[in-house]
Amino acid sequence: YRRAAEQGNPLAQYTLGQCYEQGRGVPKDDREAVRLYGLAAEQGHAQALFNLGVLCEEGRGVPTDDREAARFYILAALQGHAEAQFSYGVFCECGRGVPQDDAKAARYYRLATEQGNTKA
């Protein structure tokens, strides 16, 4: 994956980021995962955007930052990513990183549910 990632392939960047996040075949390194997910996210890779949101929310590889997490979640949610829709709904409901907005939360929960997300 490394060669393809270095050549700018977003799927390879995302997959290599997963390897670093999980320590599969390489030493576990959340900072490197963030870097690789970021490269894929710049090219619109929805799962990479979602994973960046999770890492920002949890403070893994980067300082905890709910505003950045919300930004990544909404970018993935707008691409139809069900988990990101649910997570963005939670952030809207709780006012984490975005102004509290029950109507917006309900809208994103509904979108996630329509795609089969059972948490929503």
Side-chain angles (χ1 to χ4, degrees), residues 62-103:
V62 293
T64 301
D65 187 338
D66 282 349
R67 289 182 68 184
E68 275 295 286
R71 185 173 74 84
F72 289 126
Y73 287 150
I74 188 59
L75 289 171
L78 291 172
Q79 291 187 48
H81 190 284
E83 289 177 276
Q85 291 167 338
F86 173 76
S87 294
Y88 190 69
V90 171
F91 273 48
C92 290
E93 182 178 12
C94 299
R96 290 183 60 194
V98 295
Q100 197 280 331
D101 186 332
D102 288 335

mmCIF file of all heavy atoms in Angstrom, residues 62-103:
data_model
loop_
_atom_site.group_PDB
_atom_site.id
_atom_site.type_symbol
_atom_site.label_atom_id
_atom_site.label_comp_id
_atom_site.label_asym_id
_atom_site.label_seq_id
_atom_site.Cartn_x
_atom_site.Cartn_y
_atom_site.Cartn_z
ATOM 1 N N VAL A 62 -3.775 13.317 17.675
ATOM 2 C CA VAL A 62 -3.980 14.766 17.663
ATOM 3 C C VAL A 62 -4.617 15.152 18.996
ATOM 4 O O VAL A 62 -5.207 14.302 19.661
ATOM 5 C CB VAL A 62 -4.909 15.219 16.505
ATOM 6 C CG1 VAL A 62 -4.274 14.999 15.148
ATOM 7 C CG2 VAL A 62 -6.253 14.517 16.579
ATOM 8 N N PRO A 63 -4.525 16.421 19.376
ATOM 9 C CA PRO A 63 -5.234 16.831 20.591
ATOM 10 C C PRO A 63 -6.744 16.664 20.411
ATOM 11 O O PRO A 63 -7.267 16.826 19.297
ATOM 12 C CB PRO A 63 -4.873 18.313 20.748
ATOM 13 C CG PRO A 63 -3.621 18.495 19.944
ATOM 14 C CD PRO A 63 -3.715 17.501 18.816
ATOM 15 N N THR A 64 -7.455 16.344 21.481
ATOM 16 C CA THR A 64 -8.912 16.243 21.434
ATOM 17 C C THR A 64 -9.475 17.569 20.944
ATOM 18 O O THR A 64 -9.102 18.629 21.449
ATOM 19 C CB THR A 64 -9.477 15.915 22.833
ATOM 20 O OG1 THR A 64 -8.903 14.683 23.271
ATOM 21 C CG2 THR A 64 -10.985 15.798 22.802
ATOM 22 N N ASP A 65 -10.364 17.493 19.950
ATOM 23 C CA ASP A 65 -10.915 18.716 19.361
ATOM 24 C C ASP A 65 -12.300 18.413 18.796
ATOM 25 O O ASP A 65 -12.424 17.883 17.684
ATOM 26 C CB ASP A 65 -9.973 19.234 18.261
ATOM 27 C CG ASP A 65 -10.386 20.591 17.716
ATOM 28 O OD1 ASP A 65 -11.563 20.976 17.830
ATOM 29 O OD2 ASP A 65 -9.508 21.267 17.150
ATOM 30 N N ASP A 66 -13.338 18.747 19.571
ATOM 31 C CA ASP A 66 -14.704 18.458 19.130
ATOM 32 C C ASP A 66 -15.099 19.253 17.896
ATOM 33 O O ASP A 66 -15.876 18.769 17.069
ATOM 34 C CB ASP A 66 -15.703 18.727 20.261
ATOM 35 C CG ASP A 66 -15.727 17.625 21.302
ATOM 36 O OD1 ASP A 66 -15.132 16.553 21.067
ATOM 37 O OD2 ASP A 66 -16.334 17.837 22.365
ATOM 38 N N ARG A 67 -14.590 20.461 17.750
ATOM 39 C CA ARG A 67 -14.927 21.248 16.553
ATOM 40 C C ARG A 67 -14.386 20.578 15.296
ATOM 41 O O ARG A 67 -15.075 20.499 14.279
ATOM 42 C CB ARG A 67 -14.399 22.672 16.682
ATOM 43 C CG ARG A 67 -15.179 23.494 17.703
ATOM 44 C CD ARG A 67 -14.687 24.890 17.796
ATOM 45 N NE ARG A 67 -15.004 25.588 16.547
ATOM 46 C CZ ARG A 67 -14.649 26.815 16.266
ATOM 47 N NH1 ARG A 67 -13.946 27.522 17.131
ATOM 48 N NH2 ARG A 67 -14.985 27.374 15.130
ATOM 49 N N GLU A 68 -13.154 20.112 15.358
ATOM 50 C CA GLU A 68 -12.577 19.410 14.200
ATOM 51 C C GLU A 68 -13.287 18.085 13.955
ATOM 52 O O GLU A 68 -13.546 17.718 12.810
ATOM 53 C CB GLU A 68 -11.073 19.166 14.401
ATOM 54 C CG GLU A 68 -10.199 20.328 14.006
ATOM 55 C CD GLU A 68 -10.270 20.629 12.516
ATOM 56 O OE1 GLU A 68 -9.697 19.883 11.716
ATOM 57 O OE2 GLU A 68 -10.917 21.626 12.154
ATOM 58 N N ALA A 69 -13.603 17.378 15.031
ATOM 59 C CA ALA A 69 -14.331 16.112 14.887
ATOM 60 C C ALA A 69 -15.661 16.360 14.182
ATOM 61 O O ALA A 69 -16.017 15.649 13.230
ATOM 62 C CB ALA A 69 -14.552 15.456 16.251
ATOM 63 N N ALA A 70 -16.386 17.381 14.622
ATOM 64 C CA ALA A 70 -17.672 17.696 13.997
ATOM 65 C C ALA A 70 -17.494 18.058 12.533
ATOM 66 O O ALA A 70 -18.296 17.658 11.677
ATOM 67 C CB ALA A 70 -18.358 18.841 14.749
ATOM 68 N N ARG A 71 -16.442 18.789 12.222
ATOM 69 C CA ARG A 71 -16.176 19.180 10.829
ATOM 70 C C ARG A 71 -15.940 17.944 9.962
ATOM 71 O O ARG A 71 -16.495 17.826 8.868
ATOM 72 C CB ARG A 71 -14.964 20.112 10.753
ATOM 73 C CG ARG A 71 -14.694 20.651 9.356
ATOM 74 C CD ARG A 71 -13.578 21.691 9.392
ATOM 75 N NE ARG A 71 -12.280 21.094 9.589
ATOM 76 C CZ ARG A 71 -11.532 20.593 8.598
ATOM 77 N NH1 ARG A 71 -11.960 20.604 7.357
ATOM 78 N NH2 ARG A 71 -10.349 20.080 8.852
ATOM 79 N N PHE A 72 -15.157 17.014 10.453
ATOM 80 C CA PHE A 72 -14.908 15.789 9.687
ATOM 81 C C PHE A 72 -16.170 14.942 9.580
ATOM 82 O O PHE A 72 -16.457 14.377 8.519
ATOM 83 C CB PHE A 72 -13.763 14.979 10.287
ATOM 84 C CG PHE A 72 -12.414 15.612 10.089
ATOM 85 C CD1 PHE A 72 -11.581 15.852 11.169
ATOM 86 C CD2 PHE A 72 -11.965 15.955 8.826
ATOM 87 C CE1 PHE A 72 -10.332 16.436 10.990
ATOM 88 C CE2 PHE A 72 -10.719 16.538 8.636
ATOM 89 C CZ PHE A 72 -9.899 16.785 9.723
ATOM 90 N N TYR A 73 -16.935 14.864 10.668
ATOM 91 C CA TYR A 73 -18.169 14.077 10.631
ATOM 92 C C TYR A 73 -19.153 14.636 9.598
ATOM 93 O O TYR A 73 -19.749 13.879 8.842
ATOM 94 C CB TYR A 73 -18.838 14.020 12.000
ATOM 95 C CG TYR A 73 -18.149 13.137 13.018
ATOM 96 C CD1 TYR A 73 -18.220 13.432 14.372
ATOM 97 C CD2 TYR A 73 -17.444 12.001 12.642
ATOM 98 C CE1 TYR A 73 -17.619 12.622 15.322
ATOM 99 C CE2 TYR A 73 -16.827 11.187 13.582
ATOM 100 C CZ TYR A 73 -16.915 11.504 14.920
ATOM 101 O OH TYR A 73 -16.321 10.703 15.855
ATOM 102 N N ILE A 74 -19.330 15.952 9.567
ATOM 103 C CA ILE A 74 -20.304 16.508 8.626
ATOM 104 C C ILE A 74 -19.831 16.320 7.188
ATOM 105 O O ILE A 74 -20.637 16.043 6.295
ATOM 106 C CB ILE A 74 -20.660 17.986 8.927
ATOM 107 C CG1 ILE A 74 -21.825 18.467 8.061
ATOM 108 C CG2 ILE A 74 -19.477 18.910 8.724
ATOM 109 C CD1 ILE A 74 -23.105 17.715 8.197
ATOM 110 N N LEU A 75 -18.533 16.438 6.947
ATOM 111 C CA LEU A 75 -18.026 16.228 5.583
ATOM 112 C C LEU A 75 -18.297 14.800 5.121
ATOM 113 O O LEU A 75 -18.682 14.572 3.970
ATOM 114 C CB LEU A 75 -16.537 16.561 5.508
ATOM 115 C CG LEU A 75 -16.193 18.050 5.621
ATOM 116 C CD1 LEU A 75 -14.683 18.236 5.759
ATOM 117 C CD2 LEU A 75 -16.737 18.827 4.430
ATOM 118 N N ALA A 76 -18.093 13.829 6.005
ATOM 119 C CA ALA A 76 -18.394 12.438 5.653
ATOM 120 C C ALA A 76 -19.900 12.218 5.567
ATOM 121 O O ALA A 76 -20.389 11.515 4.678
ATOM 122 C CB ALA A 76 -17.769 11.480 6.675
ATOM 123 N N ALA A 77 -20.649 12.824 6.485
ATOM 124 C CA ALA A 77 -22.114 12.667 6.504
ATOM 125 C C ALA A 77 -22.734 13.171 5.208
ATOM 126 O O ALA A 77 -23.664 12.558 4.674
ATOM 127 C CB ALA A 77 -22.698 13.413 7.701
ATOM 128 N N LEU A 78 -22.221 14.263 4.696
ATOM 129 C CA LEU A 78 -22.761 14.831 3.456
ATOM 130 C C LEU A 78 -22.508 13.924 2.253
ATOM 131 O O LEU A 78 -23.163 14.067 1.219
ATOM 132 C CB LEU A 78 -22.180 16.224 3.210
ATOM 133 C CG LEU A 78 -22.667 17.292 4.199
ATOM 134 C CD1 LEU A 78 -21.897 18.589 4.012
ATOM 135 C CD2 LEU A 78 -24.163 17.515 4.074
ATOM 136 N N GLN A 79 -21.577 12.994 2.414
ATOM 137 C CA GLN A 79 -21.336 12.001 1.363
ATOM 138 C C GLN A 79 -22.176 10.745 1.583
ATOM 139 O O GLN A 79 -22.014 9.760 0.872
ATOM 140 C CB GLN A 79 -19.855 11.621 1.316
ATOM 141 C CG GLN A 79 -18.959 12.730 0.819
ATOM 142 C CD GLN A 79 -17.547 12.232 0.632
ATOM 143 O OE1 GLN A 79 -17.329 11.186 0.025
ATOM 144 N NE2 GLN A 79 -16.595 12.967 1.167
ATOM 145 N N GLY A 80 -23.041 10.759 2.590
ATOM 146 C CA GLY A 80 -23.911 9.620 2.833
ATOM 147 C C GLY A 80 -23.340 8.572 3.767
ATOM 148 O O GLY A 80 -23.861 7.460 3.840
ATOM 149 N N HIS A 81 -22.297 8.891 4.508
ATOM 150 C CA HIS A 81 -21.671 7.949 5.432
ATOM 151 C C HIS A 81 -22.544 7.830 6.686
ATOM 152 O O HIS A 81 -22.665 8.783 7.473
ATOM 153 C CB HIS A 81 -20.266 8.439 5.785
ATOM 154 C CG HIS A 81 -19.444 7.454 6.521
ATOM 155 N ND1 HIS A 81 -19.636 7.177 7.860
ATOM 156 C CD2 HIS A 81 -18.418 6.668 6.120
ATOM 157 C CE1 HIS A 81 -18.751 6.285 8.244
ATOM 158 N NE2 HIS A 81 -18.008 5.956 7.209
ATOM 159 N N ALA A 82 -23.185 6.674 6.877
ATOM 160 C CA ALA A 82 -24.189 6.502 7.936
ATOM 161 C C ALA A 82 -23.612 6.699 9.337
ATOM 162 O O ALA A 82 -24.250 7.333 10.192
ATOM 163 C CB ALA A 82 -24.851 5.133 7.826
ATOM 164 N N GLU A 83 -22.440 6.157 9.618
ATOM 165 C CA GLU A 83 -21.856 6.323 10.956
ATOM 166 C C GLU A 83 -21.542 7.788 11.227
ATOM 167 O O GLU A 83 -21.707 8.267 12.344
ATOM 168 C CB GLU A 83 -20.590 5.486 11.097
ATOM 169 C CG GLU A 83 -20.824 3.997 11.171
ATOM 170 C CD GLU A 83 -19.502 3.252 11.243
ATOM 171 O OE1 GLU A 83 -18.904 3.002 10.180
ATOM 172 O OE2 GLU A 83 -19.088 2.933 12.368
ATOM 173 N N ALA A 84 -21.083 8.497 10.203
ATOM 174 C CA ALA A 84 -20.791 9.921 10.360
ATOM 175 C C ALA A 84 -22.084 10.699 10.571
ATOM 176 O O ALA A 84 -22.121 11.652 11.362
ATOM 177 C CB ALA A 84 -20.040 10.443 9.143
ATOM 178 N N GLN A 85 -23.151 10.313 9.890
ATOM 179 C CA GLN A 85 -24.440 10.968 10.090
ATOM 180 C C GLN A 85 -24.888 10.798 11.541
ATOM 181 O O GLN A 85 -25.331 11.757 12.175
ATOM 182 C CB GLN A 85 -25.479 10.401 9.119
ATOM 183 C CG GLN A 85 -25.209 10.790 7.687
ATOM 184 C CD GLN A 85 -26.017 9.991 6.681
ATOM 185 O OE1 GLN A 85 -26.494 8.893 6.965
ATOM 186 N NE2 GLN A 85 -26.156 10.539 5.483
ATOM 187 N N PHE A 86 -24.751 9.591 12.058
ATOM 188 C CA PHE A 86 -25.123 9.343 13.452
ATOM 189 C C PHE A 86 -24.247 10.170 14.393
ATOM 190 O O PHE A 86 -24.746 10.845 15.297
ATOM 191 C CB PHE A 86 -25.004 7.856 13.793
ATOM 192 C CG PHE A 86 -25.210 7.580 15.249
ATOM 193 C CD1 PHE A 86 -26.485 7.589 15.798
ATOM 194 C CD2 PHE A 86 -24.128 7.345 16.082
ATOM 195 C CE1 PHE A 86 -26.683 7.372 17.160
ATOM 196 C CE2 PHE A 86 -24.307 7.118 17.434
ATOM 197 C CZ PHE A 86 -25.591 7.129 17.972
ATOM 198 N N SER A 87 -22.930 10.134 14.185
ATOM 199 C CA SER A 87 -22.013 10.865 15.067
ATOM 200 C C SER A 87 -22.275 12.366 15.019
ATOM 201 O O SER A 87 -22.260 13.043 16.056
ATOM 202 C CB SER A 87 -20.561 10.563 14.686
ATOM 203 O OG SER A 87 -20.272 9.208 14.935
ATOM 204 N N TYR A 88 -22.522 12.886 13.822
ATOM 205 C CA TYR A 88 -22.827 14.316 13.715
ATOM 206 C C TYR A 88 -24.147 14.621 14.432
ATOM 207 O O TYR A 88 -24.264 15.652 15.101
ATOM 208 C CB TYR A 88 -22.887 14.753 12.250
ATOM 209 C CG TYR A 88 -22.955 16.244 12.109
ATOM 210 C CD1 TYR A 88 -21.870 17.049 12.439
ATOM 211 C CD2 TYR A 88 -24.117 16.870 11.667
ATOM 212 C CE1 TYR A 88 -21.936 18.423 12.335
ATOM 213 C CE2 TYR A 88 -24.195 18.244 11.557
ATOM 214 C CZ TYR A 88 -23.101 19.020 11.891
ATOM 215 O OH TYR A 88 -23.170 20.387 11.789
ATOM 216 N N GLY A 89 -25.115 13.725 14.340
ATOM 217 C CA GLY A 89 -26.360 13.897 15.081
ATOM 218 C C GLY A 89 -26.122 13.988 16.577
ATOM 219 O O GLY A 89 -26.698 14.848 17.258
ATOM 220 N N VAL A 90 -25.256 13.130 17.089
ATOM 221 C CA VAL A 90 -24.915 13.166 18.519
ATOM 222 C C VAL A 90 -24.294 14.510 18.882
ATOM 223 O O VAL A 90 -24.658 15.128 19.894
ATOM 224 C CB VAL A 90 -23.961 12.005 18.894
ATOM 225 C CG1 VAL A 90 -23.421 12.170 20.311
ATOM 226 C CG2 VAL A 90 -24.661 10.662 18.729
ATOM 227 N N PHE A 91 -23.372 14.964 18.053
ATOM 228 C CA PHE A 91 -22.713 16.247 18.328
ATOM 229 C C PHE A 91 -23.734 17.385 18.314
ATOM 230 O O PHE A 91 -23.676 18.285 19.157
ATOM 231 C CB PHE A 91 -21.592 16.495 17.326
ATOM 232 C CG PHE A 91 -20.274 15.902 17.732
ATOM 233 C CD1 PHE A 91 -20.162 14.593 18.171
ATOM 234 C CD2 PHE A 91 -19.121 16.653 17.670
ATOM 235 C CE1 PHE A 91 -18.941 14.059 18.556
ATOM 236 C CE2 PHE A 91 -17.892 16.132 18.043
ATOM 237 C CZ PHE A 91 -17.805 14.838 18.489
ATOM 238 N N CYS A 92 -24.672 17.353 17.367
ATOM 239 C CA CYS A 92 -25.706 18.394 17.307
ATOM 240 C C CYS A 92 -26.623 18.318 18.528
ATOM 241 O O CYS A 92 -26.986 19.346 19.110
ATOM 242 C CB CYS A 92 -26.535 18.250 16.029
ATOM 243 S SG CYS A 92 -25.634 18.685 14.528
ATOM 244 N N GLU A 93 -26.993 17.119 18.917
ATOM 245 C CA GLU A 93 -27.878 16.948 20.069
ATOM 246 C C GLU A 93 -27.226 17.458 21.354
ATOM 247 O O GLU A 93 -27.891 18.084 22.194
ATOM 248 C CB GLU A 93 -28.248 15.474 20.230
ATOM 249 C CG GLU A 93 -29.205 15.216 21.373
ATOM 250 C CD GLU A 93 -29.606 13.761 21.508
ATOM 251 O OE1 GLU A 93 -28.997 12.881 20.876
ATOM 252 O OE2 GLU A 93 -30.554 13.499 22.267
ATOM 253 N N CYS A 94 -25.932 17.195 21.508
ATOM 254 C CA CYS A 94 -25.225 17.538 22.744
ATOM 255 C C CYS A 94 -24.530 18.895 22.690
ATOM 256 O O CYS A 94 -24.011 19.355 23.711
ATOM 257 C CB CYS A 94 -24.186 16.463 23.057
ATOM 258 S SG CYS A 94 -24.890 14.825 23.304
ATOM 259 N N GLY A 95 -24.471 19.509 21.509
ATOM 260 C CA GLY A 95 -23.760 20.777 21.377
ATOM 261 C C GLY A 95 -22.251 20.619 21.484
ATOM 262 O O GLY A 95 -21.562 21.498 21.989
ATOM 263 N N ARG A 96 -21.749 19.515 20.992
ATOM 264 C CA ARG A 96 -20.305 19.254 21.019
ATOM 265 C C ARG A 96 -19.680 19.722 19.709
ATOM 266 O O ARG A 96 -19.956 19.165 18.653
ATOM 267 C CB ARG A 96 -20.018 17.768 21.189
ATOM 268 C CG ARG A 96 -20.371 17.240 22.560
ATOM 269 C CD ARG A 96 -20.018 15.789 22.722
ATOM 270 N NE ARG A 96 -18.599 15.555 22.541
ATOM 271 C CZ ARG A 96 -18.060 14.352 22.363
ATOM 272 N NH1 ARG A 96 -18.825 13.283 22.339
ATOM 273 N NH2 ARG A 96 -16.761 14.224 22.215
ATOM 274 N N GLY A 97 -18.874 20.760 19.760
ATOM 275 C CA GLY A 97 -18.167 21.237 18.580
ATOM 276 C C GLY A 97 -19.033 22.032 17.619
ATOM 277 O O GLY A 97 -18.525 22.631 16.677
ATOM 278 N N VAL A 98 -20.337 22.018 17.844
ATOM 279 C CA VAL A 98 -21.307 22.767 17.039
ATOM 280 C C VAL A 98 -22.388 23.277 17.983
ATOM 281 O O VAL A 98 -22.558 22.725 19.078
ATOM 282 C CB VAL A 98 -21.950 21.885 15.930
ATOM 283 C CG1 VAL A 98 -20.928 21.449 14.897
ATOM 284 C CG2 VAL A 98 -22.655 20.676 16.523
ATOM 285 N N PRO A 99 -23.140 24.304 17.580
ATOM 286 C CA PRO A 99 -24.238 24.745 18.440
ATOM 287 C C PRO A 99 -25.263 23.625 18.627
ATOM 288 O O PRO A 99 -25.531 22.861 17.696
ATOM 289 C CB PRO A 99 -24.844 25.917 17.660
ATOM 290 C CG PRO A 99 -23.755 26.393 16.749
ATOM 291 C CD PRO A 99 -22.961 25.158 16.404
ATOM 292 N N GLN A 100 -25.826 23.527 19.823
ATOM 293 C CA GLN A 100 -26.840 22.515 20.108
ATOM 294 C C GLN A 100 -28.055 22.778 19.221
ATOM 295 O O GLN A 100 -28.512 23.908 19.107
ATOM 296 C CB GLN A 100 -27.213 22.572 21.591
ATOM 297 C CG GLN A 100 -27.931 21.365 22.124
ATOM 298 C CD GLN A 100 -29.413 21.341 21.800
ATOM 299 O OE1 GLN A 100 -30.040 22.379 21.665
ATOM 300 N NE2 GLN A 100 -29.964 20.157 21.675
ATOM 301 N N ASP A 101 -28.547 21.719 18.562
ATOM 302 C CA ASP A 101 -29.652 21.876 17.609
ATOM 303 C C ASP A 101 -30.383 20.540 17.490
ATOM 304 O O ASP A 101 -29.955 19.647 16.757
ATOM 305 C CB ASP A 101 -29.087 22.322 16.255
ATOM 306 C CG ASP A 101 -30.140 22.663 15.223
ATOM 307 O OD1 ASP A 101 -31.255 22.096 15.294
ATOM 308 O OD2 ASP A 101 -29.838 23.472 14.331
ATOM 309 N N ASP A 102 -31.498 20.419 18.213
ATOM 310 C CA ASP A 102 -32.252 19.167 18.209
ATOM 311 C C ASP A 102 -32.816 18.822 16.837
ATOM 312 O O ASP A 102 -32.861 17.648 16.456
ATOM 313 C CB ASP A 102 -33.387 19.217 19.234
ATOM 314 C CG ASP A 102 -32.881 19.132 20.668
ATOM 315 O OD1 ASP A 102 -31.782 18.580 20.894
ATOM 316 O OD2 ASP A 102 -33.596 19.622 21.565
ATOM 317 N N ALA A 103 -33.258 19.830 16.092
ATOM 318 C CA ALA A 103 -33.825 19.566 14.763
ATOM 319 C C ALA A 103 -32.766 19.006 13.822
ATOM 320 O O ALA A 103 -33.018 18.048 13.073
ATOM 321 C CB ALA A 103 -34.444 20.835 14.188
#
